[in-house]
Amino acid sequence: MSGFNTRAIHVGSEPDPSTGAVNPPVYLTSTYAQDGVGVPRFSDYGRVDNPTRAALEHCLADLENAQFGVAFASGLAGEDALLRTLAPGDHVILGNDAYGGTYRLLTRIFGDWGVNVTCVELSDVDRVRDAFRPNTRMLWVETPSNPLLNVASIRVLSDAAHDNGALLVVDNTFATPYLQRPLDLGADVVVHSTTKYIGGHSDVIGGFVATNDDELASTLKFHQYAIGAVPGPLDCYLLVRGVKTLGVRMDRHCSNARAVAAFLQTHEAVERVIYPGLSTHPGHDVAKEQMSDFGGMVSFTMKGGTGAARKVCESTRVFTLAESLGGVESLIELPAVMTHASTAGSLLELPESLVRLSVGIEDVEDLLEDLAGALN
Ligand SMILES: Cc1ncc(COP(=O)(O)O)c(C=O)c1O
C-alpha cells in the first residue's frame, strides 16, 4: 500500500481474523490467559501490550515512515518517556518558541533532575550551532511552532545536530505526517500530541513517539511499560478511527485556514497575521519545501493590544474559546494567558495581543462571518 489515505485507513486495521469485523476490536482487558506458566497467548499484562494499542502504533509508525512507534497516554507522557533517555548533566537545545508544556517539562521536571536547557531561535542556524556543548544530546524542534507558527528547516537542523553528535527531535503535532514527514528529512525522532489532528475530534488525549533507531525504540517500549503512562484501549480505538480521515480533514483545515489568513490580512483591526502559507511569512519558502501544505493554525496580533485581543476571543460564536487544537471544530484562544501561561517571565513569554486560531472544517463562510463580527 503506498497512498497516504489508503495506509491511514488500512494499516493496522485489517479485518479481524475471527469475525471479519472491519474495525479493530477494543480489547478491554488488563491481562491475558496463559497456556502454561509464563506462556501467555498474547502478552503477560495489559500495560505491556494491548492489541488495540498495537493497531494504533502500527498505523501511526507507517504514516511517519518509521519502523517503530510507541503510543502514550498524552503528548507530554511521550515526551517524558523520550527525555528519560537523558542523564543528569546532559544538555538539550530547545526552540525558543516551543509549546509551553514542553518547556515546563524540560525546565521544571528535567531541570530539577540535572538536565540543562538552552532556548534558541531556530531559524538562526549559526546561533543553533553555537549553542551545542560537548554534553548536548538533543536538539528539540517544533515546526511549525505553537503558537508563533515559526518554520525551521528540518534538513539544516538535522545536519547541525548530527555534526555535534546529538539527536534531532521534531514535534510534528501541527503539521501531522500528512503534510510533513520529519524522519525522511533527517530527524531521528518524531513526537506527537495525538490529542490534536490525529485524533481530530477533541475527544481523546494521547501521545506518540516514532523512530527508525531500534535501540531507542526498545528503550521507549521499556519506558512505556516500566513507567506506565499507557493509553487505554478505548482511547487507542478513537485514535485509530480518527486517523483514517486525517488526510481529508487536513485538506479542509488547510483551505479554511488559507481563507481565514487572507481575510484577517485585509482587516483594519488586525496588526499582523502569522500563517506559513502567506508569502510574507519568513519561513514560507522552507515550509513550501518540507510541507505539502501549510496547516490549519493561524495566529494574529491586534492593533488594539491585549484588550482588543481578549474581546475578540470572547466575542466569536462559531469559534469556541478553548485551549487545544486540531479538532473538527474551530477554536480561539489567548496563548499568553491560556496554553502558554507557564512561559510567563521566561524567554518564551508571548505578547498578550496574540490570538491563536485552530481553524476547523466548518463551512468557511460561517468562519469568516464569525470573525468579521467579533473583530468589529
Ligand atoms: C505542539 C505540542 N506538543 C505537545 C503537546 C502536549 O500534548 P498533550 O496535551 O497531549 O500532552 C501539545 C499540547 O498542546 C502541543 O501543542
Side-chain angles (χ1 to χ4, degrees):
M1 277 183 251
S2 56
F4 186 92
N5 294 300
T6 310
R7 289 155 65 194
I9 291 165
H10 292 289
V11 174
S13 287
E14 295 78 15
D16 179 50
S18 57
T19 63
V22 295
N23 288 306
V26 183
Y27 284 92
L28 288 168
T29 189
S30 57
T31 192
Y32 306 91
Q34 307 210 358
D35 290 331
V37 175
V39 192
R41 287 188 209 161
F42 176 74
S43 168
D44 47 4
Y45 192 51
R47 175 162 31 74
V48 180
D49 224 333
N50 176 283
T52 321
R53 192 170 91 203
L56 172 68
E57 292 176 333
H58 188 182
C59 182
L60 295 188
D62 191 77
L63 296 180
E64 282 290 358
N65 288 342
Q67 286 181 58
F68 312 103
V70 189
F72 294 92
S74 70
L76 283 178
E79 295 185 13
D80 174 57
L82 175 61
L83 290 168
R84 282 175 195 253
T85 60
L86 300 172
D90 284 345
H91 176 241
V92 175
I93 302 173
L94 176 69
N96 68 356
D97 50 0
Y99 166 59
T102 302
Y103 175 75
R104 181 178 56 208
L105 176 65
L106 262 165
T107 54
R108 294 192 40 203
I109 305 289
F110 286 90
D112 284 353
W113 191 52
V115 169
N116 302 296
V117 183
T118 304
C119 296
V120 292
E121 159 79 54
L122 294 173
S123 60
D124 186 341
V125 185
D126 293 336
R127 273 237 194 114
V128 175
R129 284 190 174 271
D130 284 349
F132 281 93
R133 303 180 193 164
N135 56 342
T136 305
R137 297 270 315 279
M138 288 178 189
L139 168 57
W140 192 290
V141 173
E142 236 177 76
T143 181
S145 66
N146 180 6
L148 290 171
L149 304 173
N150 287 324
V151 174
S153 167
I154 295 172
R155 265 196 205 290
V156 168
L157 293 176
S158 79
D159 288 345
H162 298 156
D163 288 350
N164 288 280
L167 295 179
L168 178 69
V169 180
V170 174
D171 185 330
N172 203 26
T173 299
F174 271 36
T176 82
Y178 182 65
L179 302 181
Q180 167 176 281
R181 284 170 296 282
L183 297 177
D184 293 353
L185 298 165
D188 302 286
V189 193
V190 172
V191 298
H192 274 284
S193 168
T194 52
T195 312
K196 317 299 186 208
Y197 289 105
I198 286 177
H201 296 76
S202 304
D203 54 5
V204 61
I205 299 277
F208 186 70
V209 184
T211 184
N212 283 319
D213 179 331
D214 57 350
E215 214 175 296
L216 177 63
S218 44
T219 307
L220 289 167
K221 181 82 196 148
F222 171 67
H223 286 181
Q224 185 190 42
Y225 73 77
I227 299 165
V230 291
L234 190 54
D235 288 352
C236 291
Y237 177 74
L238 288 172
L239 291 165
V240 165
R241 184 168 73 165
V243 79
K244 288 178 197 287
T245 55
L246 179 65
V248 286
R249 284 187 284 108
M250 288 313 290
D251 284 341
R252 177 69 162 251
H253 282 296
C254 291
S255 66
N256 279 2
R258 208 180 344 268
V260 163
F263 163 75
L264 291 171
Q265 263 198 320
T266 62
H267 202 285
E268 56 182 12
V270 173
E271 182 184 52
R272 186 162 78 99
V273 183
I274 310 169
Y275 183 61
L278 296 173
S279 58
T280 48
H281 187 288
H284 179 66
D285 290 340
V286 176
K288 236 171 30 187
E289 254 175 61
Q290 68 188 19
M291 298 172 73
S292 58
D293 207 335
F294 303 102
M297 301 298 296
V298 178
S299 295
F300 61 98
T301 53
M302 292 292 295
K303 282 185 188 152
T306 310
R310 272 183 188 259
K311 185 172 163 282
V312 176
C313 289
E314 290 170 353
S315 306
T316 51
R317 287 160 185 233
V318 181
F319 281 82
T320 300
L321 175 58
E323 299 200 1
S324 201
L325 61 110
V328 290
E329 68 290 304
S330 293
L331 302 178
I332 187 165
E333 69 126 358
L334 214 53
V337 294
M338 293 175 65
T339 47
H340 289 64
S342 62
T343 62
S346 79
L347 258 179
L348 280 69
E349 184 165 334
L350 295 161
E352 276 193 37
S353 60
L354 182 79
V355 177
R356 188 189 77 179
L357 301 177
S358 173
V359 180
I361 64 170
E362 300 95 335
D363 295 298
V364 72
E365 301 76 22
D366 292 330
L367 299 182
L368 300 183
E369 191 184 310
D370 190 36
L371 288 170
L375 283 162
N376 286 330

